[in-house]
Amino acid sequence: MKNYIIKRILLIPLTLLGILTVNFCIIQLAPGGPVEYMLAKYQGMNVDSKAQFTATAPAQHSSGMQKYQGAQGVPDDLVEALEKQFGFDKPWHERFLKMIKEYAVFDFGRSYYRNKSVAGLIAERMPVSVSLGLWSTLIIYLISIPLGIKKALCDGSRFDTYTSFAVIVGSAIPVFLFAVFLIVFFAGGVYFQWFPLRGLTSDNWNELSFGAKIADYFWHIALPVLSIVIGGFASLTMLTKNSFLDEIGKQYVLTARAKGLSENQILYKHVFRNAMLIIIAGFPSLLIKMLFTGALLIEVIFSLNGLGLLGYEAIMTRDYPVIFGTLYIFALIGLVLKLVSDITYSLVDPRINFERI
């Protein structure tokens, strides 16, 4: 196992390089960019603002500025200033090599529009996404695994039928609809105003005592996490049920019963370990989904400044340093979690040997 872990760790930089290379090429081919974005904003300014903006640009002139859509009627020196500001005055291969060198030491540069370092923005937004992701994943596992096991043991019963209805509703209705429903009923929409509508903490959070801070934090995060849990527990519940049903029907279970073992001994000493393998394998993808993608709409609806919202805003404004910085972090965490999943796989079932891979 040690050799496999070392091999996987050594492959992480190469995988990150491949991911960055592919996405860098896609970005170069995609229409629009930060220069076009600023030109569009420039075209929307009033005459006085245009004069002031143009005066700050260096007095350089160049032909061939029509490579940018929306550059018509814009002074050439302004376009050149924007190219220099965003680093597009250099060839693409120089920009790519510079990015790779900086990312190797976790230097993600600065945001084009926020006047902050990308690393600072990620560190600032990370606690929100981690809070949503970890609590949602923990609660989903605490609900789905016992519920899935119970459904497998009571397959075909009324309990199985009634809970299956809840699972179908949870999988059929989008997460953001649950969020809107909870806001309407419990966050001052129409009926009750029991929970806050926005933010992760209150405005006076720094003035609260330690216990009050914890209570305030859970008060704010209750509805966002509940929205994600309601929309996310269905698939894991059915996966758990089907996995346990498949194991319960195997020959070794019949043999164990013939030897006189109790149902609890069969379930928790034999079936549980084998059935949990596929669930453990899906943990990294579920956690990544909860951390960075699944909570995007929840972050927007509840005004939570997390990494998902940061990445979305960066794509909309073509803020390339933020796009690549968040992508780099997403990929790195995903690769590390996948390695952790494989190690857990081996610990749960020692028969699995990754050394042969």
Side-chain angles (χ1 to χ4, degrees), residues 117-131:
S117 67
V118 175
L121 284 171
I122 292 175
E124 179 183 306
R125 302 291 187 95
M126 182 71 80
V128 176
S129 294
V130 169
S131 294

Side-chain angles (χ1 to χ4, degrees), residues 202-259:
S202 300
D203 294 334
N204 64 335
W205 192 78
N206 291 327
E207 302 172 3
L208 300 175
S209 63
F210 179 74
K213 286 182 178 180
I214 295 177
D216 182 75
Y217 166 76
F218 284 107
W219 183 47
H220 280 77
I221 207 173
L223 291 188
V225 169
L226 182 59
S227 303
I228 300 174
V229 169
I230 292 175
F233 85 100
S235 59
L236 185 60
T237 299
M238 295 309 299
L239 177 64
T240 304
K241 176 188 174 181
N242 293 332
S243 179
F244 273 80
L245 278 177
D246 183 59
E247 291 296 325
I248 289 173
K250 290 185 177 179
Q251 183 63 41
Y252 73 87
V253 174
L254 298 177
T255 304
R257 285 173 179 161
K259 291 182 178 180

Side-chain angles (χ1 to χ4, degrees), residues 132-341:
L132 289 176
L134 287 181
W135 285 116
S136 301
T137 304
L138 177 62
I139 295 174
I140 286 174
Y141 267 77
L142 289 176
I143 294 175
S144 298
I145 293 178
L147 180 59
I149 296 174
K150 183 67 174 178
K151 284 175 66 64
L153 296 176
C154 302
D155 185 41
S157 66
R158 289 186 177 182
F159 174 83
D160 183 40
T161 303
Y162 295 152
T163 54
S164 294
F165 175 76
V167 169
I168 292 172
V169 171
S171 61
I173 301 179
V175 173
F176 73 90
L177 285 183
F178 283 120
V180 172
F181 173 84
L182 291 175
I183 288 174
V184 170
F185 276 86
F186 302 112
V190 175
Y191 299 96
F192 307 103
Q193 195 169 0
W194 293 346
F195 296 92
L197 182 59
R198 62 183 66 246
L200 199 60
T201 56
S202 300
D203 294 334
N204 64 335
W205 192 78
N206 291 327
E207 302 172 3
L208 300 175
S209 63
F210 179 74
K213 286 182 178 180
I214 295 177
D216 182 75
Y217 166 76
F218 284 107
W219 183 47
H220 280 77
I221 207 173
L223 291 188
V225 169
L226 182 59
S227 303
I228 300 174
V229 169
I230 292 175
F233 85 100
S235 59
L236 185 60
T237 299
M238 295 309 299
L239 177 64
T240 304
K241 176 188 174 181
N242 293 332
S243 179
F244 273 80
L245 278 177
D246 183 59
E247 291 296 325
I248 289 173
K250 290 185 177 179
Q251 183 63 41
Y252 73 87
V253 174
L254 298 177
T255 304
R257 285 173 179 161
K259 291 182 178 180
L261 295 180
S262 67
E263 290 297 322
N264 285 337
Q265 287 178 318
I266 296 172
L267 178 64
Y268 295 108
K269 285 190 176 181
H270 301 282
V271 174
F272 186 83
R273 185 178 65 179
N274 295 326
M276 286 297 292
L277 289 176
I278 190 172
I279 299 170
I280 293 171
F283 176 78
S285 60
L286 177 63
L287 184 55
I288 287 293
K289 177 183 177 182
M290 294 300 166
L291 282 174
F292 306 121
T293 58
L296 172 58
L297 288 176
I298 299 301
E299 291 177 6
V300 174
I301 292 172
F302 289 97
S303 300
L304 300 173
N305 292 322
L307 282 178
L309 184 59
L310 176 65
Y312 173 77
E313 292 173 346
I315 293 173
M316 292 295 100
T317 58
R318 301 298 193 271
D319 197 344
Y320 290 163
V322 176
I323 293 174
F324 285 115
T326 53
L327 174 68
Y328 187 87
I329 295 298
F330 293 170
L332 179 59
I333 294 177
L335 292 171
V336 172
L337 286 177
K338 180 59 179 173
L339 177 58
V340 172
S341 174

